Amino acid sequence: MESPEPQIVSPTVIDHAQHPRNTGPLATFDGHARITGPCGDTMEFWVLVRDGMIHKASFVTNGCGPSLACGSMATCLAQGTRLSKARAIGQRDILAALGGLPAEVEHCALLAANTLKAACEDTARRTGSDGKPECGSCSDASCAARQRLDGESEEAFAERQQLQATLCRIGLKILVLSGKGGVGKSTVAVNLAVAFVLAGRKVGLLDVDLHGPSVPTMLGLEAATLHEAEGKLLPVETGGLKVLSLGFFLKNPDDAVIWRGPLKMKAIQQFLKDVAWGDLDVLVVDSPPGTGDEPLSVCQVLGTVDGAVVVTTPPEGRGG
């Protein structure tokens, strides 16, 4: 009988196993957790938070090399991120950063992820919050909501801070655009969002195609009803995907939407500011077609955008 192929261990795993980072308890910490896995290995994590960010993370384990590598990588992934994002680090994130592990020790990455998550949740309980600073009080000097602008009313400043508080909880913001309608833009947006969900990400899909919202139809959500909690709208959830579309507000899907520019801008702002999106790894935005006010308004409201997908069709005579 042939002997099994030897498992190839990545140099990153060897490095973190032989020279683990961030080991030992922290003298000062905001959160702590200790978990023993089914394999008998025990991990402990400590987390120190400053201005809503994980300033330091450390761990100890009585496990073998893979446990050391996973705990070490988990702390490296967590440090410098927001508490909410560290809490979302999963087994697949740790395995991907290490370059993979043999199947029989992949559970070490799950133990590290679970212990890190528990330490982050302990931090939230101890501090009475999710670790995020109040909008306008954080140390990010580039934040658009830190200071009131010249001539800006108190109401406008408060609305801008509410909007920024929502955007701060969103990781990547990706626009799906097209120069004209009917080229499959919404189809691409829906499939892109679903692909991120299948990859284990927390995903939102915002349909701001105000004149032709088709996302509810594509997802079979025509009869969906919006609900409210604590003064904010709750997105419709389906299969782990959070969805919001103007289509949810129409009594009849065939109703015409005729709005002027300022009203469109206000609607786009409210779809972000007044909706409880929560913590998202990715927000996919199905933008209106064309190059007019609507897509420009979307970009203006979102501020920094991390990527864009432009959907096109070949000109006549060049198809095939």
Side-chain angles (χ1 to χ4, degrees), residues 151-259:
E152 186 177 37
S153 68
E154 189 67 35
E155 180 182 359
F157 181 43
E159 287 191 356
R160 190 159 57 83
Q161 284 196 322
Q162 290 179 43
L163 174 61
Q164 193 61 39
T166 297
L167 295 176
C168 280
R169 302 184 69 170
I170 297 172
L172 300 177
K173 297 181 280 290
I174 300 176
L175 294 178
V176 181
L177 307 157
S178 68
K180 63 177 183 177
V183 297
K185 173 178 55 61
S186 295
T187 302
V188 171
V190 168
N191 280 279
L192 182 61
V194 171
F196 278 120
V197 172
L198 294 176
R201 305 302 180 187
K202 296 180 180 178
V203 187
L205 175 57
L206 175 58
D207 178 11
V208 290
D209 189 348
L210 302 178
H211 299 297
S214 55
V215 165
T217 303
M218 292 183 175
L219 291 171
L221 300 175
E222 299 97 325
T225 302
L226 290 173
H227 299 281
E228 185 178 321
E230 298 180 357
K232 286 185 175 288
L233 285 173
L234 300 177
V236 176
E237 294 200 37
T238 177
L241 176 64
K242 295 183 178 181
V243 185
L244 188 71
S245 170
L246 179 68
F248 297 144
F249 297 87
L250 302 179
K251 295 181 180 179
N252 187 323
D254 295 326
D255 287 347
V257 180
I258 304 173
W259 286 350

Side-chain angles (χ1 to χ4, degrees), residues 23-283:
T23 57
L26 296 177
T28 302
F29 58 90
D30 295 306
H32 169 256
R34 182 178 186 270
I35 296 179
T36 299
C39 62
D41 288 356
T42 297
M43 277 199 186
E44 287 187 72
F45 272 76
W46 291 263
V47 171
L48 177 66
V49 175
R50 292 289 181 267
D51 293 326
M53 309 287 287
I54 293 189
H55 180 60
K56 289 183 180 179
S58 70
F59 83 105
V60 297
T61 181
N62 63 358
C64 56
S67 288
L68 283 167
C70 291
S72 174
M73 181 56 73
T75 61
C76 292
L77 293 174
Q79 286 191 158
T81 68
R82 288 199 172 277
L83 183 64
S84 58
K85 290 193 178 296
R87 185 164 46 188
I89 293 172
Q91 179 187 27
R92 281 182 287 187
D93 299 308
I94 296 172
L95 291 174
L98 287 172
L101 284 173
E104 63 270 19
V105 291
E106 285 187 347
H107 63 269
C108 297
L110 180 60
L111 177 59
N114 288 341
T115 311
L116 173 61
K117 179 179 179 181
C120 292
E121 290 175 346
D122 183 53
T123 301
R125 285 191 295 270
R126 290 170 183 248
T127 60
S129 69
D130 61 0
K132 296 178 182 297
E134 290 297 320
C135 190
S137 66
C138 67
S139 59
D140 184 359
S142 65
C143 179
R146 288 196 75 210
Q147 296 181 349
R148 186 170 167 180
L149 302 177
D150 292 339
E152 186 177 37
S153 68
E154 189 67 35
E155 180 182 359
F157 181 43
E159 287 191 356
R160 190 159 57 83
Q161 284 196 322
Q162 290 179 43
L163 174 61
Q164 193 61 39
T166 297
L167 295 176
C168 280
R169 302 184 69 170
I170 297 172
L172 300 177
K173 297 181 280 290
I174 300 176
L175 294 178
V176 181
L177 307 157
S178 68
K180 63 177 183 177
V183 297
K185 173 178 55 61
S186 295
T187 302
V188 171
V190 168
N191 280 279
L192 182 61
V194 171
F196 278 120
V197 172
L198 294 176
R201 305 302 180 187
K202 296 180 180 178
V203 187
L205 175 57
L206 175 58
D207 178 11
V208 290
D209 189 348
L210 302 178
H211 299 297
S214 55
V215 165
T217 303
M218 292 183 175
L219 291 171
L221 300 175
E222 299 97 325
T225 302
L226 290 173
H227 299 281
E228 185 178 321
E230 298 180 357
K232 286 185 175 288
L233 285 173
L234 300 177
V236 176
E237 294 200 37
T238 177
L241 176 64
K242 295 183 178 181
V243 185
L244 188 71
S245 170
L246 179 68
F248 297 144
F249 297 87
L250 302 179
K251 295 181 180 179
N252 187 323
D254 295 326
D255 287 347
V257 180
I258 304 173
W259 286 350
R260 292 187 179 275
L263 192 55
K264 295 174 186 176
M265 181 73 165
K266 189 71 173 177
I268 294 169
Q269 288 177 333
Q270 289 181 319
F271 279 1
L272 287 166
K273 177 176 67 71
D274 297 333
V275 175
W277 288 104
D279 295 317
L280 296 178
D281 296 315
V282 184
L283 177 67

